[in-house]
Amino acid sequence: MKLYLRYLEILFKSQLQYRASFILMTIGQFFVPLVMFASIYFLFEKFGQIEGWSFFEVALCFSIVHMSFAISVCFMRGFDSFSKLVVNAGFDRLLVRPRNTIVQVLGSNFEFTRLGRLIQSTMVLIWALLNISIEWNAFKVATLIFMLIGGIFIFSGIFILGASLCFFTVQGLELINIFTDGSREISQYPLSIYKDWVKNFFTFIVPLGIINYIPLMYLLGRGPYNDILSMLTPLIGIVFIIPCLYVWKFGVSKYLSAGS
Amino acid sequence: MIKVEGLSKTFKVARRSSGFGEAVRSFFSPKFSEVHALRDVSFSIDEGEIVGYIGPNGAGKSTTIKVMSGILVPDKGECSIMGYVPWRDRVKYVKNIGVVFGQRSQLWADVPVMDSFELLRDIYKVQPANYKKSLDLLTETLNLGEILTTPTRQLSLGQRMRCEIAASLIHDPKILFLDEPTIGLDAMSKIAVRNFIKMINKEKKVTVILTTHDMNDIETLANRIIMIGKGQILYDGNLNNLREKFVTHKTVTVDYNENTSPLELDSASLLSWSKDRATYVVDIKKRGVSDIISELSAKLELTDVAVDSEPIEEIIIKLYKEHQV
């Protein structure tokens, strides 16, 4: 952990070297999701509601998914850009250092500029919460936090899976964006508006449904869901990362025996 | 200290001929062919040796270094270094080695060199007191003083290479792998790097394995060379033995007081001749150089004598030819 902070320090210093680019990127990252959010806003302006969901309820869902995504993309940037590390053989360098590969890949990159994205989605969250009447209690506060944590872990898991793919091929990596960006785009709306196969995919394959549907219903006081269970469902996201780590480990062993 | 036995490694390489149609075809059904990077490579290296590991491009040098530093797992064979199997005990093992890849930097480009060193200190968990000691020594011997506060990307190649070598020695490794450490350096930097390698080998008993294409590196540093070609070891031994085996001719150049006609000698051919200088190529298998010189001095009034043996490059080329690599 201490080592990771040292990595962050050096990355932060490096990124600050390019001041103009740093500021512009941060501002840009603020506006990218803002445009997406605006499109949701105009959609609701026209239709009023979608399948019984009001604008602010969807905004709540949107902000939670985007906050999780922003945080995980900050931390997981090393995995997100891992193909570069394989192509330029930087990964060889990591292997001759006496540390775990995961810490080192995490420490190889950090997108401080993605904080712009986080600020934007936090603002949407606050706006949404101010406009929805939720009877707050300790369970519900915990649920909200768990949803964020679960989301961060699921997105992180997807990033690790994508990076593991680089051990087998360095071609066709765009495919993984279907899972990262695609999952984010789809899960910014409550899952109930989609067809069954989409729902099933995002419940059983990439379990983003568990962070944005059941706990969301519970937060809004809808549906017959049990308090404790609803509160804990988002934590399944943490479990999702375990198989991803195993795939990573398998990938590393493959790399070792295949060479580059 | 290092024991390598029967290492073999085969890579699958995608093959395709040129042309657009071929590119499309290989996209759908790529053809692979096998490349034997290493075939049954064995050697052992003792503590404190400097070994030059040489061979043409693609001979398997880097593959061997990668296996020995735990980056690659061989298909067959054993490798035991300081009691570790590099790829199996990677984390424990790599603490004891330093690796410099001449063509790739291990320093963080955008921050001062000092920051990279401090991060490496934390990666290797070097005690502060030991860190200070190594850093002082490295700064002094590699003359890093002023460049430590410069961001890596602004360094010249020679300065960068000195920092790279320092970076791989911060944790006081027992073995140092240098993959082409002098590539692209100017003469001054090359000499500085060589002197330093000699110094740490002598003072700290660091075992050094270096690959290079620069035969001067080998001549000044390595007592022992291992030559590899097409994945097989072609020669392993002393540099002088190699010379003895392959040096068949020497050139003798003599200066003398004026003489009007060229002098023919037995077992030596006249390469060039002028009124006051002659150069002979002597076949040393047939006749000793000293014998030639004494004959010359009996017949001429010599003012100067110079004997040159073949440069090591030519010996290496002969060896390559002999093994057809």
Side-chain angles (χ1 to χ4, degrees), chain A residues 6 13 17-18 95 256-257, chain B residues 9 73 90 110 115 122:
Chain A
R6 296 279 294 120
K13 279 189 199 165
Q17 287 276 311
Y18 305 94
L95 286 172
L256 290 175
S257 55
Chain B
K9 178 83 194 169
V73 184
R90 187 182 69 79
D110 294 319
D115 286 3
D122 293 343

Side-chain angles (χ1 to χ4, degrees), chain B residues 37-39 41 53-56 59-61 64 226-235 320 325:
Chain B
L38 297 177
R39 319 179 207 211
V41 168
Y53 197 54
I54 57 176
K61 296 190 301 280
T64 319
I226 296 179
M227 184 173 341
I228 185 169
K230 286 191 177 162
Q232 279 170 311
I233 295 212
L234 306 179
Y235 179 82
Y320 287 168
V325 291

Side-chain angles (χ1 to χ4, degrees), chain B residues 144-245:
Chain B
L144 301 180
E146 312 112 60
I147 55 180
L148 281 180
T149 48
T150 317
T152 308
R153 75 184 138 81
Q154 291 170 10
L155 297 179
S156 73
L157 191 59
Q159 290 173 326
R160 209 203 77 205
M161 191 53 70
R162 267 148 53 205
C163 294
E164 296 283 342
I165 293 176
S168 58
L169 287 167
I170 280 177
H171 56 291
D172 231 343
K174 287 268 139 255
I175 304 174
L176 183 60
F177 294 100
L178 300 164
D179 197 0
E180 307 193 9
T182 55
I183 195 162
L185 299 189
D186 61 46
M188 285 291 285
S189 307
K190 274 186 183 174
I191 291 170
V193 165
R194 281 179 205 143
N195 285 344
F196 177 76
I197 295 171
K198 253 189 202 160
M199 195 279 291
I200 51 147
N201 170 260
K202 217 168 143 193
E203 305 278 310
K204 298 199 141 196
K205 297 274 170 292
V206 177
T207 309
V208 180
I209 291 128
L210 84 151
T211 74
T212 183
H213 289 291
D214 185 336
M215 290 309 152
N216 289 322
D217 286 351
I218 300 289
E219 238 166 325
T220 47
L221 286 174
N223 306 317
R224 177 178 166 196
I225 58 172
I226 296 179
M227 184 173 341
I228 185 169
K230 286 191 177 162
Q232 279 170 311
I233 295 212
L234 306 179
Y235 179 82
D236 178 356
N238 195 298
L239 195 58
N240 289 334
N241 288 347
L242 185 70
R243 275 221 185 86
E244 261 167 43
K245 197 172 155 198

Side-chain angles (χ1 to χ4, degrees), chain A residues 2-3 6-7 10-11 13-15 17-18 88-101 104 107-108 171 253 255-260, chain B residues 9 11 66 69-73 75 87 90-91 94-95 97 99-101 104-106 108 110-111 115-116 118-125 151 153:
Chain A
K2 215 183 109 204
L3 177 67
R6 296 279 294 120
Y7 270 120
I10 221 164
L11 291 171
K13 279 189 199 165
S14 303
Q15 290 183 18
Q17 287 276 311
Y18 305 94
N88 71 17
F91 192 62
D92 285 1
R93 178 49 66 189
L94 300 194
L95 286 172
V96 299
R97 290 184 175 147
R99 294 295 183 125
N100 178 301
T101 50
Q104 294 195 70
S108 72
Q171 300 157 359
S253 69
Y255 179 85
L256 290 175
S257 55
S260 50
Chain B
K9 178 83 194 169
F11 293 116
K66 280 183 178 180
S69 50
I71 298 170
L72 276 183
V73 184
D75 299 335
W87 56 90
R90 187 182 69 79
V91 173
V94 295
K95 272 184 196 145
I97 63 167
V99 187
V100 175
F101 296 113
R104 295 197 297 266
S105 180
Q106 60 176 318
W108 283 259
D110 294 319
V111 291
D115 286 3
S116 293
E118 278 171 12
L119 184 50
L120 286 169
R121 173 196 65 196
D122 293 343
I123 289 174
Y124 285 96
K125 300 181 187 160
R153 75 184 138 81

Side-chain angles (χ1 to χ4, degrees), chain A residues 63-166:
Chain A
S63 64
I64 291 170
V65 167
H66 275 263
M67 278 172 81
S68 317
F69 183 80
I71 294 171
S72 68
V73 90
C74 275
F75 286 95
M76 304 306 280
R77 188 66 182 159
F79 283 96
D80 194 19
S81 60
F82 184 67
S83 61
K84 256 190 253 158
L85 214 54
V86 168
V87 171
N88 71 17
F91 192 62
D92 285 1
R93 178 49 66 189
L94 300 194
L95 286 172
V96 299
R97 290 184 175 147
R99 294 295 183 125
N100 178 301
T101 50
I102 290 177
V103 180
Q104 294 195 70
V105 176
L106 279 177
S108 72
N109 212 334
F110 189 100
E111 257 324 312
F112 291 93
T113 58
R114 294 297 191 276
L115 293 175
R117 204 179 257 259
L118 182 63
I119 293 168
Q120 192 272 341
S121 40
T122 311
M123 283 162 63
V124 174
L125 178 77
I126 294 167
W127 192 36
L129 289 178
L130 289 176
N131 285 282
I132 308 172
S133 52
I134 294 176
E135 293 160 34
W136 288 103
N137 58 33
F139 284 132
K140 291 200 171 175
V141 175
T143 307
L144 189 66
I145 295 168
F146 288 167
M147 285 166 85
L148 283 173
I149 295 175
I152 293 167
F153 272 85
I154 291 170
F155 282 120
S156 300
I158 298 171
F159 281 124
I160 294 175
L161 275 184
S164 307
L165 217 75
C166 302

